């Protein structure tokens, strides 16, 4: 149940509405409903106040915008109940499963695509039709504001895409007779949509009206239709609305890439110095080419100028996912991955934009083999080994175009008022678009400034008392010098504190920092840090993608890092990293205490000097912590105790996000340092977390080795609280190997150790986890008692995760006791708690066990339907062991329901996964597979 009042249902697929128990709710005037729509589109996530204001009014909000938004939120909260929450300077609307029509629409289309993959187009067609029936007119109909317009267009494209999927299925099922009229109307409504015309012509030809058809039917050579289960990739990033000039370059790219009858892949390479506008030009031209590539556009930033350029294999994985390949189907070997990628592109009209390439070797694996595709590459390098049909080397903007760009940023009237000064300014920027943008942003934020005054500041001729005034272009000698010069336009205007923070923010290898982290990094009060950061953002030296979050443009990050190397001693940079790591531990410790109330480990983590702060667990935060952990150890190995505790405090967040694979390399690095530093406590704690990750990833042999060493280190360090957790994890690993006797002994040892050292949370967790083992050993009363004790302890301690896990265990006990209905109810209750608490792994576990309960009840069709949902959930998490077990149960359910063809497919997949992971269920999958009649019998 969500935070809104029970029985609430929201609608976006038409006029925005909300109902409670079939009665409409008063949502207020259109702008208030537009605010609600923004929160629904980002359901369960925080939307910042600035973003809401921008979405309602665009670039010219009224002075009362902040008060108006808060008033709207207050009124909506009175209508909707407690589900509308305030988070700092933003709001989040809690929406539960089944409470929004768009979520239901997505669920139906996902299920339909699963049926297509499983070879059941009729069921898929019916699900898509049901999904489309949910639309009551244009989405967000009648709502004002730029965000409503953007979402209306996005949802209209989504509906059209799903509609075309349904039409393609109708064609496959022989329903062409009733499609011609519908498709003719759609073609008139969308005259540039090649896919619709192709579908209409296919319907005409199958109805014997070939002469009326004007395009190639789907599936024939040269056809452009997209398989119904694949969304069309549209990955092009945003292009600034002030794009100016480059008319000849745009025309060259359009001429070279617009397909005619190509015999080879068209490749264009755009080169030039940093800041010259390569990316902006490429994305602008790619946008102009959309209609020529109806099967989609793929985009990748190859990070060619960074120390960590993109790995082509990783880029291929991202492209393949966009083309509909699921993670389990991704080949591990790079050449096989490239071959599958080219197979997926064969015959499709797709444009690839490969941005900031390092060299030809990085690009070669990404080139398609089909001449219907085209490639647009940007790079600072000449890419001499790249076979390009057209090479384009960008020069600086001509004076007239640079002036026009500056005018679009600061206003034409200011250029007209000081034409000589404007010309001098763009000359000082060297015609570099990035420099012009930074100078324009500086002036745009200060409408009272004269251009002449700004020029004097750049030349170092400002008032002597002015802070940070100095020459803006020192050492300028040629085009490459102007890259640094463009950033000094703002950097040289910073005072000492701002400049120091600018430099230090570039030290950690993280994509972004929030306010609290930046303050800790520099050792500043958050209020002072916020003033500095906002100043840096206003000058264009930082970007703020979300409220109180900051990041660098790649080039500015390099510039800031270079300034830090010049100005900051190595000891200061190391001290900054240590302060940041200390802050991250403080945040993670608070989150640990909230997620695992009463756990004694919270008081045993390394003391920190950082202020406490809320830590919302999630992929970006975890990845940032891991990056800072490794970097801190590289600079200061003696900090291994602090870093080990920081990683250990991430345990609940990792359970929630299931980012265990991302932990492996950093944990091994920390463990190696702990051993080198002879820090047994750090070695035990890091080894435990490494073993946990390996266990959850189904790598039980590696897990047991890591956990054995970790237990020995923890025992030597008298770290008994952590040793309790290690024993539990060892038991889970033995359980995964079906070694029930060993698992039982380890659980009993963990309960004894936890009781002795006061780790009540650990003893409760051990009891709850031991239920499956006790049931396998036919100790049914002990299993039931363990569940009852775990549930009572979790509820008494306010432990949401423990409560959900205990309910899951009760479901297993009920299933083993022949009470399938009770088991299903328990699993659904536990899964609901897991979803609301942010524990996707628990949702997966419950879906798998619910599938088994349906099978035990003799309901194979319900089991198959639940198994499909479980399979999708395991694939989202990348949990291979759970996926293997789900495939076995799903195959068994399909076999029992008589669908032997699909059962054979699923069981074959299950067997491959189970054998690869050396899981004992392989024998069961093999037995069911052997019992099926051979194909054709």
């Amino acid at each position: 149940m969500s935070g809104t009042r029970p029985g609430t249902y929201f609608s976006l697929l038409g006029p925005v509405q909300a109902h409670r128990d079939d009665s409409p709710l008063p949502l207020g005037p259109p702008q208030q409903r537009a605010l609600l729509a923004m929160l629904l589109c980002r359901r369960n996530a925080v939307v910042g106040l600035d973003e809401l204001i921008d979405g309602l009014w665009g670039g010219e909000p009224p002075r009362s915008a902040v008060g108006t938004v808060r008033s709207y939120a207050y009124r909506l909260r009175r209508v909707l109940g407690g589900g509308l929450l305030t988070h700092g300077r933003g709001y989040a609307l809690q929406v539960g499963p089944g409470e929004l029509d768009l979520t239901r629409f997505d669920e139906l289309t996902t299920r339909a695509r699963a049926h297509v993959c499983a070879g059941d187009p009729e069921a898929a067609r019916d699900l898509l039709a049901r999904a489309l029936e949910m639309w009551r007119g244009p989405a967000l109909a009648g709502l004002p504001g730029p965000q409503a317009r953007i979402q209306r267009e996005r949802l209209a494209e989504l509906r059209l895409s799903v509609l075309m999927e349904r039409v393609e299925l109708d064609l496959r099922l022989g329903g062409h007779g009733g499609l011609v009229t519908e498709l003719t109307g759609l073609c008139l409504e969308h005259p540039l949509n090649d896919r619709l015309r192709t579908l209409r012509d296919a319907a005409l030809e199958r109805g014997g009206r070939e002469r009326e058809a004007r395009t190639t039917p789907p599936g024939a050579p040269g056809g452009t239709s997209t398989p119904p289960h694949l969304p069309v990739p549209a990955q092009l990033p945003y292009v600034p609305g002030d794009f100016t000039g480059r008319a000849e370059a745009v025309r060259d790219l359009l001429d070279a890439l617009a397909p005619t009858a190509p015999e080879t892949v068209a490749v264009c390479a755009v080169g030039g110095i940093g800041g010259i506008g390569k990316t902006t030009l490429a994305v602008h031209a790619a946008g102009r080419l959309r209609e020529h590539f109806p099967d989609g556009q793929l985009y990748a930033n190859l990070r060619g100028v960074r120390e960590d350029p993109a790995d082509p294999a990783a880029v291929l994985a991202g492209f393949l996912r966009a083309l509909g390949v699921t993670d389990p189907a991704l080949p591990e070997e790079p050449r096989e991955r490239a071959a599958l990628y080219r197979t997926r592109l064969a015959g499709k009209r797709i444009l690839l934009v490969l941005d900031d390439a390092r060299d030809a070797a990085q690009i070669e694996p990404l080139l398609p083999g089909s001449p219907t595709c085209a490639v647009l590459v940007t790079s600072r390098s000449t890419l001499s080994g790249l076979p390009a049909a057209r090479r384009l080397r960008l020069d600086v903007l001509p004076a007239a175009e640079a002036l026009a760009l500056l005018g679009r940023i600061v206003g034409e009237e200011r250029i007209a008022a000081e034409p000589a000064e404007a010309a001098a300014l763009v000359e000082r920027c060297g015609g570099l678009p990035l420099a012009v943008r930074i100078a324009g942003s500086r002036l745009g934020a200060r409408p009272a400034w004269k251009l002449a005054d700004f020029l004097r500041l750049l030349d170092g001729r400002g008032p002597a008392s002015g802070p940070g005034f100095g020459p803006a272009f020192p050492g300028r000698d040629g085009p490459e010098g102007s890259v640094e010069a463009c950033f000094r336009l703002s950097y040289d205007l910073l005072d000492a504190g701002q400049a120091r923070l600018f430099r230090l923010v570039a030290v950690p290898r993280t994509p972004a920092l929030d306010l609290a982290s930046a303050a800790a990094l520099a050792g500043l009060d958050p209020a002072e840090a916020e003033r500095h950061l906002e100043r840096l953002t206003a000058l264009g030296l930082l970007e703020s993608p979300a409220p109180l979050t900051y990041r660098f443009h790649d080039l500015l990050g390099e510039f800031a890092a270079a300034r830090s190397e010049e100005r900051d001693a190595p000891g200061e940079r190391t001290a900054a990293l240590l302060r940041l790591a200390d802050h991250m531990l403080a945040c993670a410790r608070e989150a640990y205490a909230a997620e695992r109330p009463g756990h004694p480990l919270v008081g045993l983590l390394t003391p920190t000097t950082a202020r406490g702060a809320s830590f919302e667990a999630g992929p970006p935060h975890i990845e940032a912590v891991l990056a800072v952990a490794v970097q801190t150890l590289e600079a200061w190995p003696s900090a291994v105790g602090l870093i080990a505790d920081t990683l250990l405090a991430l345990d609940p967040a990792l359970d929630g996000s299931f980012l265990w694979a991302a932990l492996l390399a950093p944990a091994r690095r920390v463990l190696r340092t702990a051993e080198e530093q002879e820090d047994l406590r750090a070695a035990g704690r890091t080894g435990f977390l490494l073993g946990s990750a390996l266990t959850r990833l189904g790598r039980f042999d590696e897990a047991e080795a890591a956990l054995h060493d970790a237990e020995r280190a923890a025992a030597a360090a008298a770290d008994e609280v952590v040793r309790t957790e290690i024993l539990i994890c060892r038991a889970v690993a033995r359980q995964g190997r079906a070694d029930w006797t060993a698992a039982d002994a380890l659980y009993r040892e963990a309960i004894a150790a936890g009781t002795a050292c006061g780790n009540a949370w650990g003893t409760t967790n051990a009891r709850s986890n031991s239920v499956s083992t006790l049931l396998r050993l036919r100790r049914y009363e002990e299993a039931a008692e363990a569940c009852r004790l775990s549930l009572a302890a979790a509820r008494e301690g306010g432990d949401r995760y423990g409560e959900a896990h205990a309910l899951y265990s009760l479901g297993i006990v009920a299933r083993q006791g022949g009470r399938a209905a009770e088991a299903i109810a328990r699993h659904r209750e536990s899964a609901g708690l897991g979803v609301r608490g942010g524990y996707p792994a628990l949702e997966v576990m419950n879906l798998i066990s619910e599938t088994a309960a349906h099978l035990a009840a003799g309901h194979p069709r319900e089991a198959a339907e639940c198994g499909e949902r479980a399979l999708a959930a395991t694939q989202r998490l990348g949990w291979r062991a759970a996926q293997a077990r789900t495939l076995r149960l799903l195959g068994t359910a399909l076999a029992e329901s008589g669908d032997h063809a699909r059962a054979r497919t699923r069981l074959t997949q299950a067997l491959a996964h189970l054998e690869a992971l050396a899981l004992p269920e392989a024998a069961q999958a093999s037995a069911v597979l052997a019992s099926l009649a051979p194909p054709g019998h």
Side-chain angles (χ1 to χ4, degrees), residues 46-341:
V46 178
V47 185
L49 184 62
D50 292 340
E51 187 176 348
L52 291 170
I53 291 172
D54 187 61
L56 290 175
W57 289 284
E60 298 182 358
R63 292 185 178 180
S64 60
V66 172
T68 302
V69 168
R70 288 176 174 161
S71 176
Y72 288 160
Y74 171 75
R75 295 173 191 168
L76 286 170
R77 186 178 287 118
R78 293 183 63 185
V79 173
L80 301 176
L84 180 53
L85 306 177
T86 302
H87 291 271
R89 284 175 52 85
Y91 299 92
L93 181 60
Q94 293 183 321
V95 181
E99 293 182 354
L100 177 64
D101 58 357
L102 179 56
T103 303
R104 180 61 179 156
F105 178 84
D106 289 339
E107 290 171 353
L108 289 170
T109 55
T110 299
R111 287 173 55 195
R113 289 161 184 157
H115 279 293
V116 170
C117 294
D120 189 355
E122 188 170 354
R125 189 264 174 217
D126 292 343
L127 287 168
L128 291 180
R130 284 171 54 192
L132 291 165
E133 287 171 359
M134 299 177 67
W135 290 72
R136 298 167 290 105
L140 283 64
L143 294 191
Q147 186 61 31
R149 182 181 65 254
I150 291 169
Q151 291 293 343
R152 197 156 38 238
E153 292 172 356
R154 179 183 72 84
L155 292 172
E157 291 178 3
L158 175 64
R159 178 183 179 278
L160 179 60
S161 175
V162 172
L163 177 59
M164 288 189 288
E165 291 181 34
R166 194 225 75 209
V167 168
E168 287 186 332
L169 289 171
D170 278 333
L171 284 171
R172 286 176 60 180
L173 295 167
H176 52 271
L179 291 174
V180 173
T181 301
E182 179 183 11
L183 285 167
T184 300
L186 287 169
C187 287
L188 291 172
E189 187 178 348
H190 305 279
L192 298 179
N193 193 303
D194 286 343
R195 188 175 169 195
L196 281 173
R197 292 199 299 273
T198 301
L199 292 170
R200 180 202 61 194
D201 292 351
L204 287 167
E205 290 189 3
R206 294 183 189 186
R209 299 161 64 180
E210 291 87 349
R211 293 185 179 181
E212 298 178 48
R214 295 189 178 182
T215 61
T216 308
T224 60
S225 68
T226 302
H229 57 285
L230 299 182
V232 175
Q235 298 184 341
L236 296 181
Y238 168 76
V239 180
D242 55 19
F243 180 84
T244 302
R246 305 290 195 199
E248 184 177 352
V250 171
R251 187 165 54 250
D252 285 347
L253 292 176
L254 298 183
D255 291 343
L257 295 171
T260 52
E263 297 180 358
T264 61
V265 178
V267 181
C268 281
V270 179
I273 63 174
I276 202 70
K278 301 181 295 293
T279 298
T280 303
L281 169 67
V283 176
H284 173 79
R288 295 271 300 272
L289 287 162
R290 274 184 208 273
E291 66 180 63
H292 295 287
F293 296 94
D295 292 320
Q297 307 87 39
L298 297 173
Y299 172 89
N301 181 352
L302 301 183
R303 306 194 304 269
V305 297
R306 286 177 46 176
E307 293 181 357
D308 57 335
D311 180 3
V315 176
L316 283 171
F319 283 172
L320 283 168
R321 291 187 188 101
L323 295 168
V325 178
T326 59
D327 281 358
L330 285 174
E332 291 292 333
E333 210 279 323
R335 290 187 181 179
E336 293 178 7
R337 191 172 287 184
L340 177 59
Y341 163 72

Side-chain angles (χ1 to χ4, degrees), residues 711-727:
E711 185 188 355
R712 188 166 54 187
D719 199 359
E720 287 299 301
V721 170
V722 173
R723 181 171 166 269
T724 304
E725 307 295 329
I726 296 171
L727 288 166

Side-chain angles (χ1 to χ4, degrees), residues 467-662:
F469 294 154
F473 296 98
R476 177 181 171 191
D477 55 356
E480 290 294 337
S482 66
V483 178
E484 179 176 319
C486 73
F487 299 128
R488 287 192 181 273
L489 282 165
S490 293
Y491 180 73
D492 285 343
L493 298 175
L494 300 176
D495 64 28
Q498 295 160 0
R500 174 177 175 270
L501 182 57
F502 173 72
R503 297 192 303 269
L504 289 181
V505 170
V507 171
R509 294 193 290 261
T510 57
L513 286 175
D514 60 26
L515 169 61
S517 297
L521 181 76
L524 296 175
D525 178 84
E528 183 181 4
E530 183 177 8
R531 288 194 297 272
H532 290 344
L533 290 164
E534 289 300 316
R535 165 76 167 164
L536 294 169
T537 303
L539 292 175
L541 290 170
L542 282 178
E543 298 174 349
S544 181
L548 303 181
T549 301
Y550 304 90
R551 69 184 181 197
F552 282 114
H553 180 283
D554 283 352
L555 296 176
L556 278 162
E558 293 175 13
F559 174 82
R563 302 290 77 72
S564 182
E565 290 284 344
E566 292 172 359
R567 297 291 304 278
D568 303 318
E572 167 61 357
R573 294 199 297 276
T574 299
L577 286 171
L578 288 168
R579 287 192 296 266
L580 179 56
D582 183 64
H583 164 74
M584 287 179 163
L585 172 56
C587 294
R589 184 169 60 182
E590 283 199 10
Y592 196 107
E595 291 294 336
R596 297 182 179 175
H599 202 305
L601 181 65
V602 175
L604 299 175
L605 295 171
T606 300
T608 75
T609 59
R611 299 176 178 85
S614 62
F615 181 85
E616 296 180 4
H621 301 83
I622 290 173
E623 289 165 352
V625 172
L626 296 178
V628 169
V630 171
Q631 189 180 0
T632 303
L633 280 190
E634 291 172 355
W636 194 256
S638 298
V640 69
L642 167 70
I643 298 304
D645 279 5
T646 303
L647 264 59
L648 181 59
L650 289 179
D651 194 12
L654 287 161
D655 248 349
S657 64
F658 211 83
L659 284 175
W660 292 104

Side-chain angles (χ1 to χ4, degrees), residues 42 140 565 663 775 811:
R42 296 272 297 280
L140 283 64
E565 290 284 344
L663 173 74
L775 290 172

